[in-house]
Amino acid sequence: MRNMLFDKVEYKIEKTRHGIWRRHLNERGAYFAEYTSYATFLGWPLVHYTRGISPETGRRVTARGVIAVGRLAVGGLAIGHASFGLIAIGQAGLGLLFGLGQAATGLFAVGQLALGGGFGLGQIATGQTAVGQLAFGEYVLAQLGVGDYLWTPEQADAEAVSYFKELWSKLKEQLLLR
């Protein structure tokens, strides 16, 4: 059997008004696609999308852009199984400001494992405000929690109850006004 990585790769190139598509379908049916926008910001493409395994390297290509979408993604808004960015969404959403995923980090984090700096919501959560089955923080609403002000089945600090009721009122007000 020959090594397909040594073959010259012929991509189907499609230039659009906004960017370039590179596509390749090998004889085994493996599909690779990549879109890169012409528009850039600080040297990064505004949009970068990847799908599949590169026929040239035999590896996944990391999507890198202001908006990055791919199995592996790095950018301002990163969406992928493993993503890292200011806002990251994925199974492993490692965000600086916001993370959403099974395992998420960020100033605000939502996920099964939510490691938030300011706010964490998840089965296991951390943050100044933490909500979860198991939560660690200053203000904690949890089945089992560790923190300064706790609202758990066993303990209801007046400060925690007041804080979470006020937080809930503000959230409802914001959601209903929009």
Side-chain angles (χ1 to χ4, degrees):
M1 178 188 280
R2 77 182 204 285
N3 186 338
M4 292 173 30
L5 292 177
F6 294 128
D7 293 347
K8 181 172 177 5
V9 177
E10 295 196 23
Y11 290 99
K12 178 184 176 200
I13 305 289
E14 179 184 349
K15 294 183 179 185
T16 68
R17 267 183 5 164
H18 302 289
I20 297 176
W21 280 97
R22 273 188 338 148
R23 296 183 174 104
H24 183 266
L25 179 64
N26 74 21
E27 64 253 13
R28 290 186 175 170
Y31 181 68
F32 173 78
E34 179 177 35
Y35 173 80
T36 306
S37 66
Y38 296 130
T40 62
F41 180 73
L42 299 174
W44 287 51
L46 189 58
V47 178
H48 189 210
Y49 165 84
T50 64
R51 176 182 172 198
I53 294 173
S54 168
E56 294 171 305
T57 65
R59 297 180 175 202
R60 294 204 179 274
V61 174
T62 301
R64 297 176 193 275
V66 176
I67 300 171
V69 180
R71 177 79 54 101
L72 307 170
V74 175
L77 171 60
I79 303 170
H81 288 183
S83 57
F84 177 77
L86 292 175
I87 298 171
I89 300 170
Q91 284 181 308
L94 306 176
L96 297 176
L97 295 178
F98 178 76
L100 173 66
Q102 285 181 316
T105 65
L107 184 58
F108 300 93
V110 178
Q112 283 181 305
L113 173 62
L115 304 176
F119 180 83
L121 172 65
Q123 285 181 311
I124 300 171
T126 67
Q128 183 176 1
T129 301
V131 179
Q133 287 179 316
L134 175 60
F136 304 88
E138 183 176 359
Y139 291 92
V140 175
L141 175 60
Q143 285 182 317
L144 180 61
V146 175
D148 297 331
Y149 305 102
L150 299 174
W151 191 359
T152 69
E154 290 79 33
Q155 182 176 346
D157 293 336
E159 179 79 18
V161 172
S162 173
Y163 176 82
F164 283 107
K165 284 185 175 183
E166 185 177 326
L167 179 63
W168 179 246
S169 291
K170 288 179 182 177
L171 285 172
K172 281 193 326 187
E173 185 179 300
Q174 289 297 315
L175 293 173
L176 293 175
L177 291 177
R178 295 189 187 251

